[in-house]
Each structure stands twice: as C-alpha cells, then as structure tokens.
Amino acid sequence: MKKDTEVNMMHGAGGEVMGELLQTLTAFKNNNAGGIGLESLDDGSTFTIGGQTIVLTTDSHVVKPIFFPGGDIGRVAVSGTVNDLSVMGARPIALTSAMVIEEGFPIADLARIVASMDKALGEVGASVITGDTKVVEKGSLDGIAINTAGVGVIEGDGFLIRDNGMTVGDKIIVSGTLGDHGLTIVSYREGFDLGDQLKSDVAPLWKMIEGAMKASGKGNIHAMKDPTRGGFAACINEMARKSRVKVVVEEELVPIRESVASAGELLGIDPLQVANEGKCVMSVAPEVADKVLAALKAHPYGKDAAIIGEVVEGSGVVMRTRIGSERFIEPPLGDPVPRVC
Ligand code: MG
C-alpha cells in the first residue's frame, strides 16, 4: 500500500489507519515522567508526586453537529476527558478548557456549551480551573474546537487500571448498550427521521465506575477502557492485543438497542464499530463479576450493563453468533463516522 504523505480523515478515525499516524505523532524522545508514558497509548498517563499517583489525559473535541440528540460538544468535551481518567481508576479532580472559536460563532451557543460542560462536571464533582480562548477568521474552522485536559488521582482505597491487564478466565463486562452515540450522530447528520428513540449516550462515568471499583475489591478489575472512536470492535481488540490474550464474545449477550440496530442496517454501519461516549468495557476476575455487574446496574448509566464474554488463551476477538457459528470481530480501519467526538 502507498504510504500517505498527507493527513486524511481516516487518520483521525480511531482505527488501524490512525495507529500509523500515531507512530509519527508519538515520536517524542522525552516521553516519560516516571510512570505510564506516551508509548503505552493508554487512555491517560501517570506520574507520581510525593507518593501520590496522578493520571493526566487530554482530548480535543470537534463533533459535528455541535448540538445533537442526547448531548452537545460541551458534554462530550467533559465526558471524554472524565472517562479517560475514570477508566484508569482515577477520580477526576481538575480539567482545563481550551476553545478555538470561528469568527461569527453565536455567543448564546457558547453560553449553552459552557452550561452543559458545567452540568457534566457537577455530576462527578470535578472542576474546570483554567482555560484558553482563541478566535480564528471565518472559514478557517468549522465553528468550534474544544480541548480539555484532565488530572485525576488514584486514591488510597482505589487502584490503577490499565487497558492491558486482561487475564485468562476474566469475564468481559460492558456497562450498557453499544453504538448509540455514533449511530445517533450519523443518522442526525443524514437527516433520517428515526423518531426520538435514537440518542447519544454521552455521559461522565466516574460515579458509576467508582461504585464498580468499590464492589470489585482492590485490583479485581484487571483492565478497563472506554469504547470511543472505532467503537467496541477497536476497543476490545486493542485490549486483547496489549494483554496477549483472546476474547470470546457471545453475540446474544451483547446489548444493542433495537433502534440502533435498525439504523445500522439502514446505513450499512456496524454498531460495534462506532463510538460510544458513555460506556466502558471491563475485564474482571470471574469471582467478582456478578458483584461488579450489580454495582454497575445500580447506577443509571449502567442499567443495561451485561457480562458478554470471557478471556481465554490465544489471540484475537471471536464472536459466537446466535446460530452457533464463530466469526472474528476485526479491528476497524477507522470509525465509519468521522468527527464523532
Ligand atoms: Mg479512552
């Protein structure tokens, strides 16, 4: 295949193609402050101050449209960063908010975005404590881009969770239905009238994850990640590859809303390959799986949580279908829906 010489949309789509670009973008020699560094491509990185493990992460948000059923760019900007901290086991403390705004953008929309960010922060007890604003000429940006960085802490009774710790025998848990965000965004953009059943799942997950961690006991959630760009397919493949294990998923246990499945069929898009903005995927010690599931279900954002499979020896991710056959869940080349977060 010809090597790309220019950035294209697939380079931002969270799949295998984006992985190639990351080789260029992560070529820092100064890349590790004494903890989990850039090379691990985890949801966040760590460093230690006075014995306290700090988790740091950053994300830029360019979702199109800015307002959509179930959320808006502000809720995505806070939830995306809060969730990257949370899936590492860190309580989100403080965020930054840096906005690049196109000349002509309505100030009333900015106020709406900030109010939405504030509401999401309030749900998890985090704060935006510093920010930056730049304005660029009309036409040089599509409305607004928001970058948020976040700092979280691993607390005494908590524990650091990586995306590479899957262990043979673990149960795989998803915290709810898959594909809602990506299929809502694409359906809305395409102008399909799918009633009011389709809406984004965008949500800040710390309180739900904190409950699951307390129920699991220290260290028993072996791996966790949020299935954003590239969806569940990209997420589970990355976790399995990094952990050097195989994952077997039972198709009939995977929660997918009927409206999401129909939209996917209509558009030719696999719900497992599109972004979720309010879900996590966990690999959990089998003896605590039921307890963790119950804790997830006790939180509104986890009410549809399900145990969907297990970790075995080998490599790759296999789905056992309803009719008893098996097929690989392949890592997508890129999320089929660009600018989804
Ligand atoms: Mg993530």
Side-chain angles (χ1 to χ4, degrees), residues 141-225:
L141 178 75
D142 187 5
I144 187 169
I146 305 178
N147 177 277
T148 49
V151 173
V153 291
I154 307 294
E155 292 173 310
D157 52 350
F159 50 97
L160 180 69
I161 306 172
R162 306 286 310 271
D163 61 6
N164 65 357
M166 285 181 157
T167 305
V168 171
D170 280 0
K171 296 294 182 193
I172 303 297
I173 299 177
V174 293
S175 66
T177 54
L178 298 176
D180 300 59
H181 180 73
L183 275 153
T184 299
I185 295 290
V186 69
S187 303
Y188 191 68
R189 262 190 226 158
E190 301 282 329
F192 287 116
D193 180 17
L194 293 149
D196 51 4
Q197 305 149 342
L198 265 189
K199 79 182 165 76
S200 168
D201 61 350
V202 57
L205 297 178
W206 168 245
K207 290 292 174 188
M208 179 192 80
I209 286 173
E210 184 184 34
M213 287 172 71
K214 281 187 176 142
S216 72
K218 212 162 183 160
N220 285 326
I221 298 172
H222 293 153
M224 177 154 50
K225 201 167 186 66

Side-chain angles (χ1 to χ4, degrees), residues 36-37 39-43 87-88 160-168 170 221-225 235-245 281 283 311:
I36 297 164
E39 75 294 336
S40 62
L41 299 177
D42 208 321
D43 297 283
V87 295
M88 296 197 71
L160 180 69
I161 306 172
R162 306 286 310 271
D163 61 6
N164 65 357
M166 285 181 157
T167 305
V168 171
D170 280 0
I221 298 172
H222 293 153
M224 177 154 50
K225 201 167 186 66
C235 175
I236 196 78
N237 271 285
E238 184 174 346
M239 293 173 85
R241 177 172 50 78
K242 287 177 170 173
S243 309
R244 300 171 189 278
V245 294
V281 178
S283 186
V311 178

Side-chain angles (χ1 to χ4, degrees), residues 43 84 225-226 228:
D43 297 283
D84 276 338
K225 201 167 186 66
D226 53 340
T228 54

Side-chain angles (χ1 to χ4, degrees), residues 41-327:
L41 299 177
D42 208 321
D43 297 283
S45 293
T46 69
F47 57 96
T48 305
I49 300 175
Q52 171 71 58
T53 300
I54 309 290
V55 179
L56 177 65
T57 191
T58 185
D59 244 302
S60 295
H61 301 88
V62 294
V63 62
K64 180 184 176 176
I66 289 165
F67 301 99
F68 49 83
D72 56 73
I73 193 170
R75 187 164 176 85
V76 173
V78 167
S79 301
T81 291
V82 160
N83 294 347
D84 276 338
L85 297 171
S86 303
V87 295
M88 296 197 71
R91 181 164 71 85
I93 305 277
L95 273 69
T96 68
S97 165
M99 297 187 181
V100 185
I101 307 165
E102 184 192 15
E103 182 185 15
F105 195 85
I107 289 173
D109 284 358
L110 285 177
R112 202 174 147 195
I113 290 166
V114 170
S116 175
M117 292 175 78
D118 208 27
K119 182 166 179 288
L121 291 162
E123 287 187 44
V124 295
S127 298
V128 163
I129 58 167
T130 186
D132 177 55
T133 310
K134 298 284 190 295
V135 178
V136 296
E137 299 86 346
K138 199 166 193 61
S140 56
L141 178 75
D142 187 5
I144 187 169
I146 305 178
N147 177 277
T148 49
V151 173
V153 291
I154 307 294
E155 292 173 310
D157 52 350
F159 50 97
L160 180 69
I161 306 172
R162 306 286 310 271
D163 61 6
N164 65 357
M166 285 181 157
T167 305
V168 171
D170 280 0
K171 296 294 182 193
I172 303 297
I173 299 177
V174 293
S175 66
T177 54
L178 298 176
D180 300 59
H181 180 73
L183 275 153
T184 299
I185 295 290
V186 69
S187 303
Y188 191 68
R189 262 190 226 158
E190 301 282 329
F192 287 116
D193 180 17
L194 293 149
D196 51 4
Q197 305 149 342
L198 265 189
K199 79 182 165 76
S200 168
D201 61 350
V202 57
L205 297 178
W206 168 245
K207 290 292 174 188
M208 179 192 80
I209 286 173
E210 184 184 34
M213 287 172 71
K214 281 187 176 142
S216 72
K218 212 162 183 160
N220 285 326
I221 298 172
H222 293 153
M224 177 154 50
K225 201 167 186 66
D226 53 340
T228 54
R229 281 173 296 177
F232 174 77
C235 175
I236 196 78
N237 271 285
E238 184 174 346
M239 293 173 85
R241 177 172 50 78
K242 287 177 170 173
S243 309
R244 300 171 189 278
V245 294
K246 176 179 176 178
V247 171
V248 181
V249 172
E250 302 290 341
E251 184 178 29
E252 65 179 349
L253 301 179
V254 177
I256 297 177
R257 271 181 223 291
E258 229 168 88
S259 54
V260 168
S262 345
E265 263 171 50
L266 198 68
L267 294 158
I269 291 173
D270 182 352
L272 297 185
Q273 293 195 355
V274 297
N276 309 270
E277 293 295 331
K279 300 288 153 49
C280 66
V281 178
M282 294 179 178
S283 186
V284 174
E287 61 274 15
V288 300
D290 288 333
K291 264 193 262 179
V292 171
L293 184 67
L296 288 171
K297 280 175 171 294
H299 192 280
Y301 295 146
K303 66 179 173 17
D304 298 316
I307 297 174
I308 62 163
E310 61 182 356
V311 178
V312 298
E313 276 175 40
S315 63
V317 180
V318 159
M319 175 119 92
R320 268 197 218 118
T321 67
R322 288 185 177 85
I323 53 168
S325 61
E326 285 193 350
R327 67 173 173 89

